[in-house]
Amino acid sequence: MSLEIIFEDDYLLCVSKPNNVLVHHAYHSRNVADEDSLLQIIKNEIGLKVYPIHRLDRKTSGIILLAKEKEYVSKFQELFTNSEIQKTYFGIVRGFSPDVKTIDSPVKGRDANVHKDALTELKTLANITLDIPVKPYDSSRYSLVQLSPKTGRMHQLRVHMNKISHPLIGDAKYGDKNHDVMYAENFGWQNLFLHAGKLELIHPFTSEKLSLKANFPEDWLALFDKFNWRNPLL
Protein backbone atom coordinates (compact mmCIF):
# COMPACT_ATOMS: atom_id res chain seq x y z
CA MET A 1 0.00 0.00 0.00
CA SER A 2 1.37 3.40 -0.95
CA LEU A 3 0.66 5.98 1.71
CA GLU A 4 -0.64 9.38 0.58
CA ILE A 5 0.95 12.02 2.82
CA ILE A 6 -0.99 15.29 2.66
CA PHE A 7 0.97 17.39 5.17
CA GLU A 8 3.81 16.91 7.61
CA ASP A 9 5.73 19.08 10.07
CA ASP A 10 7.44 18.60 13.44
CA TYR A 11 4.10 18.14 15.23
CA LEU A 12 1.68 16.66 12.74
CA LEU A 13 1.33 13.99 10.08
CA CYS A 14 -1.75 14.20 7.88
CA VAL A 15 -2.47 11.25 5.58
CA SER A 16 -5.33 9.91 3.46
CA LYS A 17 -6.73 6.70 4.94
CA PRO A 18 -7.85 4.12 2.36
CA ASN A 19 -11.23 2.37 2.54
CA ASN A 20 -11.46 -0.67 4.82
CA VAL A 21 -8.40 0.14 6.91
CA LEU A 22 -8.66 0.50 10.68
CA VAL A 23 -6.88 3.47 12.22
CA HIS A 24 -5.64 1.17 14.97
CA HIS A 25 -6.58 -2.23 16.34
CA ALA A 26 -8.90 -2.34 19.31
CA TYR A 27 -10.55 -5.05 21.38
CA HIS A 28 -13.78 -5.07 19.36
CA SER A 29 -11.88 -5.47 16.08
CA ARG A 30 -10.03 -8.67 16.88
CA ASN A 31 -11.58 -10.38 13.85
CA VAL A 32 -9.41 -8.21 11.56
CA ALA A 33 -6.26 -8.47 13.65
CA ASP A 34 -4.38 -10.05 10.75
CA GLU A 35 -4.77 -6.88 8.67
CA ASP A 36 -2.43 -3.94 9.05
CA SER A 37 -3.89 -0.88 10.75
CA LEU A 38 -3.15 2.61 9.45
CA LEU A 39 -0.72 3.15 12.33
CA GLN A 40 1.12 -0.04 11.40
CA ILE A 41 1.23 0.92 7.70
CA ILE A 42 2.76 4.28 8.63
CA LYS A 43 5.33 2.60 10.84
CA ASN A 44 6.18 0.08 8.09
CA GLU A 45 6.44 2.62 5.27
CA ILE A 46 8.07 5.64 6.90
CA GLY A 47 9.25 4.26 10.24
CA LEU A 48 7.20 6.69 12.31
CA LYS A 49 5.11 6.06 15.42
CA VAL A 50 2.13 8.43 15.46
CA TYR A 51 -0.92 9.04 17.66
CA PRO A 52 -4.47 9.52 16.30
CA ILE A 53 -6.04 12.90 17.01
CA HIS A 54 -9.58 11.98 15.89
CA ARG A 55 -11.60 9.03 14.56
CA LEU A 56 -12.41 7.83 11.09
CA ASP A 57 -14.56 4.73 10.53
CA ARG A 58 -12.83 1.71 9.05
CA LYS A 59 -14.97 1.88 5.90
CA THR A 60 -14.60 5.67 5.44
CA SER A 61 -11.74 6.96 3.31
CA GLY A 62 -9.97 10.27 3.56
CA ILE A 63 -8.11 12.76 5.64
CA ILE A 64 -6.92 12.00 9.16
CA LEU A 65 -4.65 13.90 11.55
CA LEU A 66 -1.98 12.12 13.58
CA ALA A 67 0.33 13.63 16.18
CA LYS A 68 4.05 12.86 16.21
CA GLU A 69 4.21 12.89 20.01
CA LYS A 70 1.58 11.74 22.50
CA GLU A 71 1.69 15.05 24.37
CA TYR A 72 0.68 16.96 21.21
CA VAL A 73 -2.65 15.12 20.87
CA SER A 74 -4.70 17.11 23.41
CA LYS A 75 -3.79 20.46 21.85
CA PHE A 76 -5.11 19.35 18.47
CA GLN A 77 -8.16 17.68 20.03
CA GLU A 78 -9.13 21.02 21.58
CA LEU A 79 -9.80 22.28 18.03
CA PHE A 80 -12.47 19.58 17.60
CA THR A 81 -13.92 20.14 21.09
CA ASN A 82 -14.15 23.91 20.52
CA SER A 83 -15.51 23.58 16.95
CA GLU A 84 -12.42 25.34 15.60
CA ILE A 85 -11.89 22.88 12.78
CA GLN A 86 -13.91 22.68 9.57
CA LYS A 87 -14.53 19.13 8.33
CA THR A 88 -15.94 18.49 4.86
CA TYR A 89 -17.04 15.04 3.73
CA PHE A 90 -18.47 13.88 0.43
CA GLY A 91 -20.98 11.08 -0.05
CA ILE A 92 -23.01 9.30 -2.71
CA VAL A 93 -26.58 8.73 -1.55
CA ARG A 94 -29.76 7.05 -2.76
CA GLY A 95 -32.36 9.34 -4.32
CA PHE A 96 -32.44 13.07 -5.00
CA SER A 97 -31.37 14.70 -1.73
CA PRO A 98 -32.46 18.26 -0.77
CA ASP A 99 -30.48 21.17 -2.27
CA VAL A 100 -29.52 22.21 1.26
CA LYS A 101 -30.58 20.87 4.63
CA THR A 102 -29.57 21.09 8.28
CA ILE A 103 -30.00 17.72 10.00
CA ASP A 104 -30.44 18.23 13.74
CA SER A 105 -31.11 14.80 15.20
CA PRO A 106 -29.60 12.98 18.21
CA VAL A 107 -27.30 10.02 17.54
CA LYS A 108 -26.42 7.15 19.85
CA GLY A 109 -22.94 7.48 21.30
CA ARG A 110 -20.46 4.73 22.09
CA ASP A 111 -22.73 3.97 25.04
CA ALA A 112 -25.63 2.65 22.95
CA ASN A 113 -28.21 3.65 25.57
CA VAL A 114 -27.39 7.36 25.43
CA HIS A 115 -28.38 9.67 22.58
CA LYS A 116 -26.34 12.83 22.08
CA ASP A 117 -27.10 15.98 20.09
CA ALA A 118 -25.78 15.81 16.54
CA LEU A 119 -25.81 18.42 13.78
CA THR A 120 -24.92 18.02 10.09
CA GLU A 121 -25.15 20.51 7.24
CA LEU A 122 -25.89 19.03 3.81
CA LYS A 123 -25.49 20.49 0.33
CA THR A 124 -26.34 18.58 -2.85
CA LEU A 125 -23.74 19.04 -5.60
CA ALA A 126 -25.10 16.79 -8.39
CA ASN A 127 -27.66 14.11 -9.15
CA ILE A 128 -28.39 11.51 -11.79
CA THR A 129 -31.11 9.09 -12.92
CA LEU A 130 -29.87 5.73 -14.24
CA ASP A 131 -31.85 3.41 -16.48
CA ILE A 132 -30.98 0.54 -14.17
CA PRO A 133 -33.86 -0.95 -12.18
CA VAL A 134 -33.58 -1.31 -8.42
CA LYS A 135 -36.61 -2.77 -6.62
CA PRO A 136 -39.31 -1.56 -6.51
CA TYR A 137 -38.51 0.96 -9.28
CA ASP A 138 -37.56 0.58 -12.95
CA SER A 139 -34.79 3.18 -12.65
CA SER A 140 -32.46 4.46 -9.92
CA ARG A 141 -31.53 7.94 -8.69
CA TYR A 142 -28.45 9.15 -6.84
CA SER A 143 -26.94 12.36 -5.48
CA LEU A 144 -23.47 13.64 -4.72
CA VAL A 145 -23.60 15.42 -1.37
CA GLN A 146 -21.25 17.62 0.63
CA LEU A 147 -21.58 17.01 4.37
CA SER A 148 -20.27 19.25 7.14
CA PRO A 149 -20.62 17.68 10.61
CA LYS A 150 -20.81 20.27 13.38
CA THR A 151 -20.57 17.56 16.05
CA GLY A 152 -18.48 14.39 16.08
CA ARG A 153 -20.76 11.53 17.06
CA MET A 154 -20.04 7.92 16.18
CA HIS A 155 -21.36 7.09 12.67
CA GLN A 156 -23.05 10.51 12.66
CA LEU A 157 -23.10 11.09 8.90
CA ARG A 158 -24.15 7.54 8.10
CA VAL A 159 -27.00 7.69 10.63
CA HIS A 160 -28.13 11.17 9.57
CA MET A 161 -28.31 10.26 5.88
CA ASN A 162 -30.37 7.19 6.73
CA LYS A 163 -32.69 9.29 8.89
CA ILE A 164 -33.58 11.58 5.97
CA SER A 165 -34.12 8.53 3.69
CA HIS A 166 -31.01 9.15 1.60
CA PRO A 167 -28.64 6.46 2.88
CA LEU A 168 -25.04 6.32 1.70
CA ILE A 169 -24.19 3.82 -1.01
CA GLY A 170 -22.08 0.92 0.27
CA ASP A 171 -23.20 1.32 3.89
CA ALA A 172 -23.95 -2.23 5.00
CA LYS A 173 -25.21 -1.14 8.43
CA TYR A 174 -27.41 1.88 7.68
CA GLY A 175 -27.84 1.72 3.91
CA ASP A 176 -29.98 0.03 1.26
CA LYS A 177 -28.72 -3.40 0.25
CA ASN A 178 -30.57 -3.39 -3.10
CA HIS A 179 -28.66 -0.34 -4.29
CA ASP A 180 -25.36 -1.62 -2.90
CA VAL A 181 -25.82 -4.85 -4.89
CA MET A 182 -26.62 -2.87 -8.04
CA TYR A 183 -23.41 -0.83 -7.70
CA ALA A 184 -21.34 -3.97 -7.18
CA GLU A 185 -22.92 -5.93 -10.04
CA ASN A 186 -23.00 -3.12 -12.63
CA PHE A 187 -19.87 -1.16 -11.80
CA GLY A 188 -17.76 -3.32 -9.48
CA TRP A 189 -17.87 -0.64 -6.77
CA GLN A 190 -18.25 -2.16 -3.31
CA ASN A 191 -16.73 0.37 -0.89
CA LEU A 192 -18.64 2.81 1.29
CA PHE A 193 -19.05 6.06 -0.64
CA LEU A 194 -18.13 8.37 2.22
CA HIS A 195 -14.90 10.36 1.92
CA ALA A 196 -13.36 12.84 4.36
CA GLY A 197 -12.21 15.30 1.71
CA LYS A 198 -11.15 18.50 3.46
CA LEU A 199 -9.99 19.86 6.81
CA GLU A 200 -9.37 23.50 7.65
CA LEU A 201 -7.72 24.57 10.89
CA ILE A 202 -5.30 26.96 12.55
CA HIS A 203 -2.25 24.96 13.63
CA PRO A 204 -2.21 25.18 17.45
CA PHE A 205 1.60 25.19 17.64
CA THR A 206 2.67 27.26 14.63
CA SER A 207 -0.51 29.39 14.10
CA GLU A 208 -0.34 28.47 10.40
CA LYS A 209 -3.67 28.27 8.59
CA LEU A 210 -3.97 24.81 7.05
CA SER A 211 -6.37 23.92 4.27
CA LEU A 212 -5.88 20.20 3.66
CA LYS A 213 -7.39 17.97 0.96
CA ALA A 214 -7.40 14.17 0.46
CA ASN A 215 -7.71 12.87 -3.10
CA PHE A 216 -10.66 10.61 -3.88
CA PRO A 217 -10.12 6.80 -4.12
CA GLU A 218 -10.28 5.03 -7.49
CA ASP A 219 -13.97 4.04 -7.14
CA TRP A 220 -14.90 7.68 -6.75
CA LEU A 221 -12.87 8.78 -9.78
CA ALA A 222 -14.48 6.02 -11.86
CA LEU A 223 -17.93 7.14 -10.66
CA PHE A 224 -17.27 10.81 -11.53
CA ASP A 225 -16.24 9.71 -15.02
CA LYS A 226 -19.21 7.34 -15.47
CA PHE A 227 -21.80 9.82 -14.17
CA ASN A 228 -20.13 12.83 -15.85
CA TRP A 229 -19.84 14.65 -12.51
CA ARG A 230 -17.20 17.24 -11.68
CA ASN A 231 -14.68 16.28 -8.98
CA PRO A 232 -15.54 18.72 -6.13
CA LEU A 233 -11.93 18.79 -4.90
CA LEU A 234 -10.61 20.21 -8.18
Side-chain angles (χ1 to χ4, degrees), residues 163-197:
K163 283 188 174 181
I164 65 166
S165 299
H166 295 289
L168 288 153
I169 300 301
D171 190 340
K173 185 169 185 178
Y174 305 102
D176 184 324
K177 184 181 178 182
N178 290 331
H179 289 267
D180 297 347
V181 167
M182 187 282 277
Y183 265 57
E185 289 182 348
N186 286 271
F187 307 114
W189 305 330
Q190 299 186 60
N191 289 318
L192 171 66
F193 275 95
L194 180 62
H195 181 70

Side-chain angles (χ1 to χ4, degrees), residues 99-117:
D99 289 343
V100 292
K101 186 175 181 65
T102 298
I103 307 162
D104 186 355
S105 178
V107 171
K108 286 182 181 179
R110 292 189 173 271
D111 178 349
N113 296 317
V114 178
H115 281 75
K116 296 185 177 182
D117 290 343

